Amino acid sequence: MTFKTDERSIRLYNLYNHLAFKLALYVAVWSFLFLAVFEKPAVPGAALPYWATMIIEACILIFFLSRFIHNVLFSEPASFWKDPKNIVVIVTIILVAIDMVGYIIWVNVTSPAVAAKAVRWSRPLRPLFLINFPEGRQLRKAFRNILRTLPDVVHILALFLASIAIFALLALKLMQNRSLVYPDGRPYFNNYFECVWDLYVLVTTANSPDVMMPAYNKNNWFATFFFVYIVVNVYIFMNIVLASVYNNYRRHLKNEVIKTVYLKRRLLARVFDLLKVWQRDTYVVTRQTWHSLMEIAAPHWGPTRRDVLFYVLDDTADNAIRRKDFLKVADLLNVELAEEKEEPTALENWCPRCYLAPPSEVIKSIVRHRFFHYTFDFLILLNAFIVGFNLEEAEWGFLTAFTVEILLRVYTFGPKKYFTTFWDVFDFCVVMPAVIGTIIETSLGDDYGRVKLIDFLMVIRVLKLVRLIGSIKRFQIVLTTIVNIGPSIATYGAVIFVFFYIYAVIGMELFSGLINYYGYDTKNETEMFCGDQRLKGSEFLQKRYCGNNFNSIAHSFVILFELLVVNQWHVMSSGFVLVTNKAARLYFISFHMICVVILLNILTAFILEVFILEYSLSQTELESTIEARIKDMGLGLGQNPGENPKTVKQDKHVLVDNMEEVEMSGSSPTAATSGDSCDVTAGAVGKQQDQGLRFRLKRSSRKRVETLLEYMFEGEIGPAEEGQDEEVITAGPAARTNTSSEMAA
Amino acid sequence: MTFKTDERSIRLYNLYNHLAFKLALYVAVWSFLFLAVFEKPAVPGAALPYWATMIIEACILIFFLSRFIHNVLFSEPASFWKDPKNIVVIVTIILVAIDMVGYIIWVNVTSPAVAAKAVRWSRPLRPLFLINFPEGRQLRKAFRNILRTLPDVVHILALFLASIAIFALLALKLMQNRSLVYPDGRPYFNNYFECVWDLYVLVTTANSPDVMMPAYNKNNWFATFFFVYIVVNVYIFMNIVLASVYNNYRRHLKNEVIKTVYLKRRLLARVFDLLKVWQRDTYVVTRQTWHSLMEIAAPHWGPTRRDVLFYVLDDTADNAIRRKDFLKVADLLNVELAEEKEEPTALENWCPRCYLAPPSEVIKSIVRHRFFHYTFDFLILLNAFIVGFNLEEAEWGFLTAFTVEILLRVYTFGPKKYFTTFWDVFDFCVVMPAVIGTIIETSLGDDYGRVKLIDFLMVIRVLKLVRLIGSIKRFQIVLTTIVNIGPSIATYGAVIFVFFYIYAVIGMELFSGLINYYGYDTKNETEMFCGDQRLKGSEFLQKRYCGNNFNSIAHSFVILFELLVVNQWHVMSSGFVLVTNKAARLYFISFHMICVVILLNILTAFILEVFILEYSLSQTELESTIEARIKDMGLGLGQNPGENPKTVKQDKHVLVDNMEEVEMSGSSPTAATSGDSCDVTAGAVGKQQDQGLRFRLKRSSRKRVETLLEYMFEGEIGPAEEGQDEEVITAGPAARTNTSSEMAA
């Protein structure tokens, strides 16, 4: 246990985990990061004097400190002070405080010339708060795994760099005495370090084929050198770096996931030991105990739902849960079950006579017919052409048609169903703003405010095309998969954000104000060549890259994103080398190594793995069990038993082209293809159906990152293993799961 | 059976498979492809008149035809004419013949103006011979799988293109009325098809960030559009395309491999049925039968080796092979066993007295000491610096030292061992030419011929550094893995070569002679702007890309390789668009789609998978069995029993960092680290040791593509499954394996 268990501590724990405090922490952390917008060099128009940002910063810092002290109060000191994340938080708080005091002294006490050089050196540390507060668990895990991966891939990277070094020596020996020059007159491969730089850039393919052309034009056989270089370093080595980075990262990730699973199981085993009773030659948890437990752990669930879970766990059907089944509780709580009553629509309740009248039924059957759907798909396509050819007049007609469609669909399916179906909601969110926007546009006339509104309406109009894609089933599966894996990928997005922030802040300290964008037609002498004579005639200026600078956090993020895309990164770095010196290349190379070679490769490989996983498998083992149980109990939700027996897919090795067969049952084509839920066709209608309650498995449950990760390694974790006990200590408080909070409760 | 089994047919079959004929076929196919060097537009200096190349072509074609007819003679007509590859071969032969006759008529009969436009349209068909002759089995399989993969990924590609189309509409609506221009004055996003083109290029990142700069300079918020576009299309969609292409390709590959394995097993089962005798309530193959069979199938093997294999197969140790074990025969024959006698070195035989004398032993122990190794590693490094700083005088000293090292090592380990160790051979191949070259160089003096010799020596000198890398164990494992997976990757190299050839020939027909390289300082009017006024002021000319043209097959391959690397491909295509029209873009886009999006993605994913497989696993199940048997029989080759028990690694889930532990036993550090063999430490010295014969498993066996593929799917193929019989028909003759040739023999 990492927390004290006396009553005061539990009260403090609950207070600490109060939603308001958690929200406040998020706001504080993001505001802390957001301060860079207002600090020097600020985003144009947002500059604040340094004391203003410092006051905000001090307030946030005090909040962090109070939060930290609050945490100290209810934690076991021994494990608390052994946890690296707590150490990092308190050290960072102290460092930031020292930096703030130092900066104030620097600015106010020293001479103006010295004061102008004042540096807020603690700013790159800010993202540490994002990582190290307990709430950033996934992010912290990702960072920990990346750090652990590095030593394993260092020798591959070293080999890769050695290969570049050898090729650079070869290039130098082959080219240096041929007096070749680049088109802009720079000497060609006549200095070892320039060779290394040019060949490093070539590995990123950014200067291909320019770097080859002078030699190739001299003698065609030189193409062989570059061919061998590219095959060896780009196609073989870069792929091996990718393989190695990913293979090692995956291994550490697996260890981490397994550790978490084992810890969870051991904690549950302890709960089981507290609750168990002796019954028929084994220890079990009885039904009654289960209900009392659930009343504390999940008070918002009804008794039927608790029963469903109980039946799922009660493998032997003797009204008791055994130890090995009890260990599944945490996973079970993660599976989201939707409780649904088959209710009449709101309109049916309000006026059943008119809603069920024959004309109304005709309307409903028209709306439900697939040609209704096709007609509107065609209208959307037609609308796209209208938009493309600027025929604004026709827009009103389309908007009316789409509005009518929405009303008809709401009428037919009822507002509740309509507003819980993804593509219907999407449709609503696109058409309604378009209607409102067009009304405002028309009423405003040819005013100034229209310009931005028109942009907005353009985007909205084009977005309607996305709905067309959403109505083609093969596309939909892909889109649903993308939506499902989104959150898992977002973790890596956050990791990249952290590095972006650090590099942006360092970049601003190093390069801000050196290159400025004044337009390219200026005749003002100080403003020519983007404010620096040394850029005259450079490719940087020729390409008009002066807007790519580090003059504010927003500009920095844009240029860093461009560097992440890699193309032309050497031209951008050449600009900053010209206005400083060649050491600036270290900044750009290190960014490339960390963000592109390591992080982007992990991201790529992770997307590959997760996409293949999501796209080719349908359900986890647990989900299949639950579904089968729900079906057994006759609590499944299904309109037409026997109509579509393919719905329940338990074959875990369904290949991609079988995916097409996973059709959702349901009468509305849009609802049927929402892909967000997996209805269970109830084969036999059982005893409890009279309660009018139905359950279905929400597919969204897999969207949680932890669940997906466990699912990824499902085959490699034994079903009842609990691991060695000493692992509890090494796993420590970092691997805490939501079960620990249940226990403290 | 796809062959007739009468005696005449078998004689014809054996003649058909005679090595000389097979070699002649290879030479003919490659000469056929190589003809493009001499045909118009020929490589400068290699042009031949059309009748000269046509005579060669006709000869080759007649050879192909005779080969085809030969094949018809001994094949079962029913299956022969159902096999698509035979149909393709004969149709291609006919088409080429028609084209040749047509061309001769076209050139000689029509008017000169028409004759100048004569086209050899059958040339893109030439690589079909490479694919469709029976010897190109792996290549054919790769092509078949790629073709089968396409329908599965078409909807992902369609979605991807739809996404580009929607973003292009959005870009058009957002930008078209802002009168923005590119730095070179071209209009910016003002035409829908230009938008699509620019955004398609952006997906390849080739025009990032240039395509963004005009909008970004106008209003910084436009960066958001490009950010969203790149994240959605580059980072998400391209990765999903990669995942989908690979996932589907892997599935088809697996089916193909499984089919082959099943066919092989069924054929073996038939052999078993022919040879079986009834012995103790089961059918078996006796030892005697086994020996007679092996005498026919592998006459060059000694009886001990046959015995080893027999013991491996004789699972129940009752001198008989059961059916399920017999099915392993083909795999067993693929495992390469090295037969080694522990012989004294040549020198020891010749003069044992002086070789074994104390001074000789001292020399040998010095050479075997690791500091001897370290000293020469240091010398290589020092030599690299000397090369870097052009201190040519010191070179003689180094060459002498390296030569002495080679002599000492040959003396100590014996020439046989020395010349079978990879890194020693490498060393020899680098040092000896350097010695010879330097001698020639010195004797030639300052002559003209020196220049090329110096280049050659430079390369050789720098290559020595590779040996240094080879002496660091962690690097070596990586290099060995690369060497091992080389042949598997070469298949994909061949696939890419086929597409390169087709695109090169088409490219030459479309674009040859339109852009010429005359140097950039010419004042000759017809030679300015690379021979076309329309290129004036274009980025193509500015970048000096005129050497990148389609004026010969060699030039075409270079530009296609540059297109494969992707960077600046839009600039290259813009040049050819300027001298023709915008339809030329189709050529470049289709090349990108096929070669980069499909082929390169398959290659990348395949390298990833194979590298992780090779790098993390050590042996197949069969190899482990054989090794264990060899060990049991006391026939293993090992210098120091018990010295390094880690050598035999049977754990199939060894993770990467355990790989370091796979050390080879042996006294020479270079030999010990060759990584090419896996010596088996014989724990107990058994009965047959007195024969002086030892075996070890050659790791090189895994280098065969088929073996590696089977290994890849090892876990997914049941050990004794034979599949359904109807699969024989569908698998047909295409899935023939080397066992079928055994059977025919």
Side-chain angles (χ1 to χ4, degrees), chain B residues 99-143:
Chain B
D99 178 36
M100 286 171 71
V101 174
Y103 186 82
I104 291 170
I105 295 169
W106 196 339
V107 169
N108 292 304
V109 176
T110 59
S111 68
V114 178
K117 286 182 188 160
V119 170
R120 282 296 314 273
W121 50 263
S122 75
R123 297 205 299 163
L125 301 177
R126 285 179 185 173
L128 289 178
F129 289 110
L130 191 63
I131 304 167
N132 283 297
F133 268 110
E135 284 69 20
R137 194 184 302 137
Q138 287 304 325
L139 192 59
R140 197 159 54 243
K141 278 188 191 172
F143 263 94

Side-chain angles (χ1 to χ4, degrees), chain B residues 356-374:
Chain B
L356 298 173
S360 167
E361 288 296 336
V362 169
I363 291 172
K364 284 190 274 179
S365 67
I366 288 174
V367 174
R368 286 195 169 118
H369 198 278
R370 80 175 95 130
F371 279 107
F372 181 80
H373 198 62
Y374 291 161

Side-chain angles (χ1 to χ4, degrees), chain B residues 155-439:
Chain B
H155 65 282
I156 302 253
L157 285 177
L159 186 57
F160 168 61
L161 293 177
S163 156
I164 293 178
I166 291 177
F167 272 102
L169 188 58
L170 204 54
L172 181 72
K173 300 313 287 183
L174 286 177
M175 318 280 186
Q176 68 180 355
N177 296 322
R178 290 170 207 271
S179 57
L180 294 170
V181 289
Y182 280 109
D184 62 359
R186 274 182 304 135
Y188 184 78
F189 283 104
N190 78 329
N191 167 307
Y192 184 69
F193 290 102
E194 290 296 314
C195 287
V196 171
W197 168 254
D198 279 338
L199 289 182
Y200 186 83
V201 174
L202 184 54
V203 167
T204 69
T205 77
N207 60 357
S208 157
D210 304 323
V211 75
M212 183 181 101
M213 293 318 289
Y216 181 59
N217 285 337
K218 176 93 175 179
N219 183 336
N220 289 345
W221 284 105
F222 277 119
T224 325
F225 172 80
F226 292 97
F227 172 78
V228 171
Y229 180 81
I230 287 176
V231 167
V232 170
N233 287 289
V234 180
Y235 292 126
I236 295 180
F237 262 116
M238 280 313 253
N239 279 331
I240 284 176
V241 168
L242 168 60
S244 164
V245 165
Y246 186 62
N247 196 27
N248 285 296
Y249 182 78
R250 194 179 182 282
R251 185 162 58 90
H252 291 296
L253 191 68
K254 194 179 90 182
N255 288 343
E256 181 103 29
V257 169
I258 288 178
K259 231 193 265 174
T260 314
V261 169
Y262 285 167
L263 183 71
K264 199 160 67 180
R265 284 183 186 161
R266 273 197 304 274
L267 289 173
L268 280 169
R270 263 205 249 175
V271 175
F272 182 83
D273 289 341
L274 290 173
L275 302 174
K276 70 188 174 187
V277 293
W278 183 262
Q279 200 180 72
R280 262 167 285 160
D281 60 84
T282 181
Y283 282 112
V284 294
V285 167
T286 61
R287 183 169 188 154
Q288 211 174 348
T289 321
W290 169 257
H291 275 276
S292 339
L293 178 71
M294 281 294 106
E295 254 164 59
I296 304 164
H300 52 286
W301 286 1
T304 320
R305 187 160 185 184
R306 286 176 206 154
D307 262 346
V308 170
L309 297 186
F310 184 79
Y311 283 117
V312 172
L313 291 175
D314 180 15
D315 209 25
T316 44
D318 53 1
N319 256 334
I321 306 172
R322 268 143 226 275
R323 191 174 193 274
K324 81 167 176 28
D325 296 317
F326 192 81
L327 298 187
K328 290 180 197 157
V329 166
D331 300 322
L332 205 59
L333 297 183
N334 280 336
V335 175
E336 283 182 50
L337 274 184
E339 228 170 272
E340 280 188 29
K341 289 186 180 169
E342 275 185 353
E343 292 172 307
T345 68
L347 208 65
E348 196 175 345
N349 276 338
W350 182 66
C351 173
R353 188 192 304 218
C354 40
Y355 191 72
L356 298 173
S360 167
E361 288 296 336
V362 169
I363 291 172
K364 284 190 274 179
S365 67
I366 288 174
V367 174
R368 286 195 169 118
H369 198 278
R370 80 175 95 130
F371 279 107
F372 181 80
H373 198 62
Y374 291 161
T375 311
F376 279 92
D377 281 353
F378 175 74
L379 278 183
I380 293 171
L381 200 63
L382 200 67
N383 187 230
F385 278 97
I386 299 294
V387 171
F389 291 109
N390 292 322
L391 302 172
E392 303 271 329
E393 296 74 22
E395 191 59 24
W396 273 111
F398 282 106
L399 278 180
T400 315
F402 292 138
T403 313
V404 168
E405 191 209 359
I406 290 176
L407 291 177
L408 283 175
R409 290 183 65 85
V410 172
Y411 179 80
T412 309
F413 300 110
K416 195 173 168 187
K417 183 155 191 184
Y418 184 87
F419 287 109
T420 52
T421 307
F422 177 77
W423 286 106
D424 279 334
V425 174
F426 178 85
D427 196 29
F428 185 83
C429 292
V430 165
V431 173
M432 279 305 117
V435 171
I436 296 164
T438 314
I439 290 170

Side-chain angles (χ1 to χ4, degrees), chain A residues 490-502:
Chain A
T491 305
Y492 297 89
V495 171
I496 291 176
F497 171 81
V498 166
F499 277 99
F500 262 47
Y501 193 89
I502 294 172

Side-chain angles (χ1 to χ4, degrees), chain B residues 15-28 63 67 135:
Chain B
L15 186 67
Y16 185 81
N17 282 307
H18 193 277
L19 188 66
F21 276 114
K22 282 190 166 180
L23 274 180
L25 185 69
Y26 274 109
V27 173
F63 176 71
R67 192 89 185 140
E135 284 69 20

